[in-house]
Amino acid sequence: MTTSNGNAPQGANNGGASKPFKIFIGYDPREDVAYEVCRHSILKRASIPVEIIPIVQSDLRQKGLYWRQRDQFESTEFSFSRFLTPYLANYEGWAMFVDCDFLYLADIKELKELVDDKYAVMCVHHDYSPKEKTKMDGAVQTVYPRKNWSSMVLYNCGHPKNKGLSLEVVNNQTGAFLHRFQWLEDNEIGSLPFVWNFLEGHNKVVENDPKTSPKAIHYTRGGPWFEAWKNCEFADLWLKEMEEYMKEKKSNAS
């Protein structure tokens, strides 16, 4: 299942008929509505062609691409399958992985324009130690170095180092190796502005400073689709986007 916005390429940087920018979104059946709203928020604002592909664990298992056993600390079905992004993109061009618990408030074109071919990956370099013991619907909140770095990543899929994310590595390596980007040197991990992975409950908007205004909100502790987090910060923005998505879905079905 893939979705495209069908927008025509814009701007000189696209070189005419450029390929759609591939965006892989982590999918978990418990958070189906979060996936749909994240997808909707990207497509609605995108001024460049994008192709959205959900990373669905059951599909990957059926195709023989994912076989590792579920770990007790995995809070979502895409905790490790996310690292198949370069493989799923055929180790070509740039592609993005993002958790489903994101809400995009800006054009993805702005983010894509930040790519730098000298890096193997680019992400927000968070320094994040959550205080909560649980998140989402009661999942254990783990703390580890580079936490949340892997929640939104621009992958330079053709970079030689990303060939290191083979099926065998993704299915057998430790969580520490994968989530800390240990197949790379530190200077191969580019940095992105935090507003593209704005952690609800952690990052703050500074008054009169537009550089702190979120372009993508990450409901990492849990979003309004969970009862326990229905009153979290920026819940109103997510609920508004959900209402728009539901109206469009109903309209398209009629």
Side-chain angles (χ1 to χ4, degrees):
M1 178 176 64
T2 65
T3 55
S4 174
N5 61 349
N7 285 347
Q10 296 182 8
N13 291 336
N14 287 309
S18 63
K19 293 181 180 179
F21 181 45
K22 290 186 176 181
I23 300 174
F24 294 86
I25 302 179
Y27 182 84
D28 191 305
R30 295 173 305 153
E31 298 185 88
D32 176 75
V33 70
Y35 164 81
E36 294 291 356
V37 171
C38 177
R39 170 187 162 277
H40 182 272
S41 70
I42 293 171
L43 292 174
K44 184 176 81 171
R45 295 169 176 84
S47 65
I48 59 172
V50 298
E51 180 184 5
I52 293 182
I53 305 123
I55 291 187
V56 183
Q57 189 182 124
S58 58
D59 291 349
L60 295 173
R61 289 188 183 279
Q62 191 174 7
K63 294 174 182 174
L65 303 179
Y66 191 76
W67 58 84
R68 73 184 291 157
Q69 295 297 311
R70 181 76 183 251
D71 184 278
Q72 62 175 324
F73 296 114
E74 290 181 53
S75 58
T76 66
E77 288 197 0
F78 49 86
S79 291
F80 293 113
S81 58
R82 71 184 66 217
F83 297 103
L84 290 173
T85 293
Y87 174 90
L88 296 172
N90 299 313
Y91 298 107
E92 295 176 351
W94 283 84
M96 183 173 94
F97 170 83
V98 65
D99 286 3
C100 65
D101 54 356
F102 271 66
L103 176 68
Y104 279 81
L105 304 176
D107 188 347
I108 205 72
K109 177 174 180 280
E110 294 180 40
L111 179 59
K112 188 172 185 287
E113 287 175 344
L114 298 177
V115 302
D116 188 331
D117 288 336
K118 75 179 181 183
Y119 297 116
V121 303
M122 298 183 73
C123 63
V124 177
H125 293 191
H126 286 298
D127 181 10
Y128 177 59
S129 297
K131 300 180 180 65
E132 298 82 17
K133 300 294 185 184
T134 61
K135 63 178 180 177
M136 296 171 18
D137 55 351
V140 175
Q141 178 70 276
T142 54
V143 179
Y144 52 86
R146 296 182 173 176
K147 185 173 177 66
N148 268 313
W149 287 30
S150 63
S151 60
M152 193 281 292
V153 182
L154 294 175
Y155 282 95
N156 185 358
C157 301
H159 192 285
K161 282 291 193 74
N162 286 329
K163 287 286 180 70
L165 287 179
S166 64
L167 294 182
E168 288 71 25
V169 166
V170 174
N171 279 284
N172 293 297
Q173 266 291 357
T174 64
F177 178 90
L178 294 168
H179 285 282
R180 298 179 197 177
F181 301 96
Q182 289 181 349
W183 72 94
L184 301 173
E185 301 297 327
D186 286 355
N187 63 5
E188 294 168 329
I189 308 170
S191 179
L192 294 170
F194 78 93
V195 292
W196 286 105
N197 189 345
F198 189 103
L199 303 179
E200 179 275 328
H202 174 70
N203 292 127
K204 300 298 179 185
V205 177
V206 178
E207 191 175 357
N208 298 322
D209 185 358
K211 290 184 178 179
T212 65
S213 184
K215 293 180 182 289
I217 298 169
H218 183 188
Y219 300 87
T220 183
R221 302 183 302 168
W225 54 96
F226 290 121
E227 179 65 25
W229 298 100
K230 65 181 182 180
N231 295 318
C232 67
E233 194 177 9
F234 303 111
D236 56 330
L237 296 180
W238 188 91
L239 291 168
K240 180 182 177 183
E241 194 82 25
M242 183 195 69
E243 288 173 8
E244 285 186 21
Y245 158 70
M246 296 299 285
K247 284 180 181 177
E248 286 185 21
K249 181 181 179 182
K250 186 176 180 179
S251 175
N252 292 336
S254 60

